[in-house]
Amino acid sequence: FFFQAEDGIRDVAVTGVQTVLFRSPGGLIDAEFVLQYLALRHPAAWLERGAASDNRPAIVIAHLRAAGVLSPDDAEMLNNAIALWSRLQFMVRLTTEGDVDVSELPLGLKAKLAKLAGATDEKALEFLMAATAQSVRALFDRIIADPAASARERLAPDAVIR
């Protein structure tokens, strides 16, 4: 149950269900990091539109999309990803204690998680999670990791970054 993710830069031990949802590449932390990065990089895109008083992810994403910071496809994917990971996280936190090993999740909980995600069954949920993580990872790399790597390549070997 649940996908297994590997990434040379952000490697994590994927055994617990919360680790899968939070820390796996393309998980909730990556999705929220992309949103926070864009909100900080383009404050006028959402602050001028009155979103400062309503900073829910869906609202900020809508403002970033309206300002042209996010494409319609990227905005929809990021919004859906954060919503999916958040719903799953909520249910897991309500029904388990600590970071339960994925293999130890009761079948009934797996079925509830699948239903909560709009998936027909456990396998469909695995597919949805893997596809979501892959899409978030690609967006993370395109917006954050790749530009950062490019900037590092242009730095002098003795450059000090502050």
Side-chain angles (χ1 to χ4, degrees), residues 112-124:
K112 283 183 183 181
L113 291 171
K115 185 175 180 178
L116 185 65
T120 55
D121 58 21
E122 179 182 329
K123 289 293 180 196

Side-chain angles (χ1 to χ4, degrees), residues 120-156:
T120 55
D121 58 21
E122 179 182 329
K123 289 293 180 196
L125 177 58
E126 286 180 28
F127 180 81
L128 175 62
M129 290 176 63
T132 299
Q134 183 178 16
S135 295
V136 169
R137 238 173 109 175
L139 185 65
F140 182 97
D141 288 345
R142 183 166 33 93
I143 291 176
I144 297 169
D146 294 345
S150 177
R152 277 192 300 275
E153 289 173 3
R154 293 189 305 270
L155 290 174

Side-chain angles (χ1 to χ4, degrees), residues 91-111:
M91 180 62 78
V92 167
R93 284 188 168 173
L94 275 177
T95 57
T96 64
E97 290 186 30
D99 201 7
V100 177
D101 193 285
V102 171
S103 65
E104 295 177 16
L105 286 177
L107 291 176
L109 178 55
K110 291 178 183 181

